[in-house]
Amino acid sequence: MKVKYNSDSVEIETSDLFSADKIFDCGQCFRFEPEGDGYSGIAFGRRIHIREKGGIIIIDGANKDDFESVWFDFFDFGNDYRKINDSILSAVPEKADFLQQCEKVGAGIRILRQDPWETLVSFIISQNNNIPRIKKLISALCIECGERIYGKTAVGTGACCGGTGLKTAAHGGKTGLETGACCGEETGSETAVGTGRSREKTEFEMVPGGNTGKQEGTRRCVGYAFPSPEAVLELGEKRLAEMKFGFRAGYIADAAKKVCSGEIVLSELYEMSFDEAFAELCRIRGVGAKVASCVLLFAYHKLNAFPIDVWIQKVIDKYFDGCVPDFGEFAGIAQQYLFYRERYTPSE
């Protein structure tokens, strides 16, 4: 892999499999949306625009430090997915032809390394829900109590809430399918997280001009970071219910309470075995096998996790006689290929 660092973008040249379209359309991440020639979204308090051009992956709104500290791991550039695919085929050789079809359809999917708290809440929200509504609820939560992200340099081609033509809660309207839940009219980089949560705060922030004592200019609010456990705990179950989270309001409130009290320390799950981490997550009200498996796969990168939803159960019944095959250490990646093929291949 070759990496070129520019002042406000990073260019990655790799022979490995990568498809932004498939990565952000396989149900693992809810805060990236198509915009212009790529995808824009927010993770770890930073807003980026990612696109592919002539075999080069370009991340706008990121510099060398951002790439090395966040985006290299986020997009799992350290793993060779061609080798992983070979391992999946060898794990279930009797289904090699079918799995090759799945890998071909899903080629380019990579398992993201997302923030554990954000992933936990996102998949609690996902229960008995559809993707558009999941995104709307997450967006509303970020607007309600997430920290503002400011930027000066345009990234992408449109507004993350204005670009869709739909109002967000920040504008006094219903929450729409905005890309990253921003309140400004332009997108941006230089993702310094704002310090206030008041929704009356101006959409602009003055930028100091260093030793000159003058103002360098303004930075527009380009979105909201995912709210901290403390912010969600302060928001409370009642307000979550008012925001139409339904039965999930109590589950989210319980997760915030357990994390803030230290009863559950999310960072410790990285060092736990799969079974230990699974049991720890299931101590949270409303977290069952599917949610816990999704969190372990999409946040903790425990690639042996194999979440089973209605799509995957359909595949297991249809192609594996109702028995979950042993895909080995990369079961979670195999799961994504199975899901993607079932979703996008015409019925046989």
Side-chain angles (χ1 to χ4, degrees):
M1 184 175 72
K2 297 179 180 178
V3 183
K4 178 183 177 183
Y5 299 107
N6 304 310
S7 61
D8 195 43
S9 67
V10 178
E11 300 177 20
I12 305 105
E13 182 178 355
T14 177
S15 61
D16 201 3
L17 302 169
F18 187 97
S19 170
D21 286 333
K22 296 176 185 179
I23 289 169
F24 295 122
D25 190 38
C26 63
Q28 64 174 314
C29 181
F30 303 106
R31 299 202 70 201
F32 279 76
E33 292 287 342
E35 184 180 14
D37 58 354
Y39 286 77
S40 292
I42 294 172
F44 293 98
R46 296 165 169 84
R47 180 175 172 81
I48 61 166
H49 180 79
I50 185 165
R51 52 199 169 98
E52 298 166 74
K53 183 177 180 181
I56 305 296
I57 303 162
I58 303 170
I59 304 177
D60 296 310
N63 56 30
K64 185 175 186 291
D65 288 342
D66 293 331
F67 181 73
E68 293 179 349
S69 64
V70 176
W71 304 117
F72 179 86
D73 284 339
F74 183 78
F75 288 108
D76 199 25
F77 283 121
N79 262 326
D80 185 335
Y81 276 66
R82 295 187 188 277
K83 290 183 178 179
I84 288 173
N85 289 354
D86 290 340
S87 177
I88 292 171
L89 293 178
S90 64
V92 192
E94 67 274 16
K95 290 290 184 178
D97 290 343
F98 172 68
L99 292 174
Q100 282 181 327
Q101 295 175 22
C102 296
E103 290 179 355
K104 183 177 180 180
V105 175
I109 292 175
R110 306 180 77 85
I111 303 298
L112 301 175
R113 295 175 186 258
Q114 301 179 72
D115 175 75
W117 167 247
E118 177 175 345
T119 309
L120 171 61
V121 175
S122 296
F123 281 96
I124 288 175
I125 292 171
S126 77
Q127 296 179 83
N128 297 320
N129 225 335
N130 57 66
I131 289 178
R133 190 163 185 272
I134 295 167
K135 291 183 176 183
K136 288 172 67 174
L137 288 170
I138 292 172
S139 175
L141 183 63
C142 293
I143 291 172
E144 183 75 13
C145 59
E147 298 291 351
R148 290 175 183 266
I149 299 171
Y150 291 97
K152 290 193 300 181
T153 306
V155 175
T157 58
C160 51
C161 62
T164 60
L166 299 174
K167 286 186 176 182
T168 66
H171 290 155
K174 295 181 179 180
T175 305
L177 300 182
E178 57 285 268
T179 59
C182 96
C183 62
E185 297 172 355
E186 298 175 3
T187 58
S189 61
E190 277 194 22
T191 52
V193 178
T195 57
R197 290 202 300 271
S198 170
R199 295 304 164 229
E200 283 78 35
K201 185 175 179 180
T202 176
E203 307 299 350
F204 297 93
E205 176 188 69
M206 297 304 296
V207 181
N211 295 328
T212 64
K214 298 180 180 179
Q215 295 294 339
E216 184 181 275
T218 60
R219 297 192 300 179
R220 183 183 294 272
C221 173
V222 297
Y224 294 96
F226 195 85
S228 66
E230 292 77 13
V232 174
L233 183 65
E234 182 181 349
L235 189 66
E237 182 177 348
K238 180 179 178 182
R239 177 58 183 145
L240 288 166
E242 292 172 350
M243 294 171 66
K244 311 299 184 185
F245 282 87
F247 66 88
R248 307 167 196 85
Y251 300 167
I252 296 168
D254 187 66
K257 179 181 178 181
K258 284 184 168 66
V259 171
C260 289
S261 68
E263 184 177 344
I264 290 179
V265 182
L266 293 176
S267 61
E268 293 181 353
L269 272 65
Y270 284 105
E271 305 304 322
M272 293 183 184
S273 69
F274 177 88
D275 289 341
E276 290 171 335
F278 184 91
E280 190 74 358
L281 288 172
C282 288
R283 293 173 56 210
I284 298 169
R285 182 182 163 205
V287 173
K290 180 201 166 186
V291 171
S293 295
C294 286
V295 175
L296 293 177
L297 179 59
F298 302 131
Y300 293 97
H301 218 65
K302 295 185 183 293
L303 297 179
N304 58 329
F306 191 84
I308 299 177
D309 61 7
V310 292
W311 286 94
I312 294 301
Q313 189 61 57
K314 180 180 177 182
V315 171
I316 293 169
D317 293 341
K318 188 175 180 181
Y319 298 102
F320 299 96
D321 299 322
C323 299
V324 179
D326 182 4
F327 288 108
E329 61 180 316
F330 300 117
I333 298 175
Q335 188 262 15
Q336 287 289 279
Y337 293 152
L338 295 172
F339 167 79
Y340 210 79
R341 182 192 183 279
E342 187 65 21
R343 186 179 180 188
Y344 287 107
T345 300
S347 299
E348 299 175 350

